[in-house]
Amino acid sequence: MTRLLLLLFIGMFPMTLFAQLERKLENENQPVELIFHAPRHINLLTVEPLSKKSMHFAIMHTFGTLDGGIENLFGLDNGANIQFSFEFALSEKLSLAASRSSRDKVYNVFGRYHIFQQTQNGNLPFSLSVAGGGGVNTSSYDFLPESAPNFGERMSYFGQVMLARKFSPKIAVQVTPMMAYFTDPRPVYQIEGTENFYLALGFSGKYKVT
C-alpha cells in the first residue's frame, strides 16, 4: 500500500522531477565540432584539424574563366589545372603535406598548425590556424627563347592565416589572409612588371541545408 501511494505521488509531479535532470557537457570548454567538414573547402585550407595519424587525399581542379561564353562552355573547355594533395597529421594540431600541380609541374610541401579552436562555451569565439610552405616549378621551359631558370629561380613560397567561426549548426564562415612569393624574375610572375610578391584575402562559407 505504501509503495502504491508513493508511485501515485511521483506521477502527480513529473515535470518537477524531470526539470532537475538538466543535461550538461562534461567539459564545457571543449572545441566546436565540424566548423567545416574537411581540411579543404573548395581550394582553401580550413581550420578543421585531422585526427592524429590520419591522412587526407584531395584532388582539386580549376578551369578557365566564365567570360569565354557558351562557345567554351563558360570555361569548362579550357584545360584544367589539377592538383593532387596528401596531408598527414602528426598530432591533433600539426600536419604535413605534399602536393603536385599540373600547371608548371609544381611540387609543393607545406605544414598546417592549429593554434586554438573555437569552444562551445564561447571562451574562444573563433578558431585560428596557420599554414606555410614552398614549391618548385619543374616545367621544362622549352618554349622560352632564353635559357631556362635555375633551381633558385624556380622556387615559390606561401603563407596564410585561417580565422573561422561557426555561428550556428547551419552557418560557418572563414577569412583567410594569404601571401605568395615567386623568385622567378620573368614578367609572367610579376605584378606591374616589378614585383613577385602577392597578397590576397580569401572568404569561405558553409550553409547546411539539411
Side-chain angles (χ1 to χ4, degrees), residues 40 57-58 60 82-87 96-102 105-110 134-136 158:
R40 285 186 179 272
F57 171 60
M60 293 162 288
I82 301 173
Q83 183 186 89
F84 296 90
S85 173
F86 292 90
E87 184 175 4
L96 299 178
S99 65
R100 193 264 189 188
S101 301
S102 60
K105 313 296 186 286
V106 176
Y107 290 83
N108 279 295
V109 291
F110 63 91
V136 58
F158 86 94

Side-chain angles (χ1 to χ4, degrees), residues 72-142:
N72 291 315
L73 203 57
F74 302 100
L76 292 181
D77 283 352
N78 299 100
N81 180 28
I82 301 173
Q83 183 186 89
F84 296 90
S85 173
F86 292 90
E87 184 175 4
F88 182 77
L90 300 176
S91 68
E92 298 292 336
K93 288 184 172 292
L94 176 64
S95 57
L96 299 178
S99 65
R100 193 264 189 188
S101 301
S102 60
R103 182 177 180 180
D104 294 331
K105 313 296 186 286
V106 176
Y107 290 83
N108 279 295
V109 291
F110 63 91
R112 196 165 59 112
Y113 186 78
H114 306 284
I115 299 174
F116 56 76
Q117 292 177 270
Q118 179 183 347
T119 56
Q120 296 195 14
N121 63 1
N123 282 346
L124 289 173
F126 59 89
S127 292
L128 175 66
S129 302
V130 294
V136 58
N137 182 331
T138 65
S139 177
S140 66
Y141 282 101
D142 290 338

Side-chain angles (χ1 to χ4, degrees), residues 36 41 43-47 128-131 158-164 173-179 199-205:
F36 290 94
H41 192 236
N43 287 337
L44 284 177
L45 293 169
T46 73
V47 297
L128 175 66
S129 302
V130 294
F158 86 94
Q160 65 184 61
V161 178
M162 295 87 79
L163 300 97
V173 174
Q174 178 174 298
V175 179
T176 310
M178 64 189 85
M179 57 75 62
L199 290 174
L201 183 63
F203 292 94
S204 185

Side-chain angles (χ1 to χ4, degrees), residues 7 17 23 62 90 146:
L7 289 173
L17 292 174
R23 294 184 66 187
T62 57
L90 300 176
E146 67 268 27

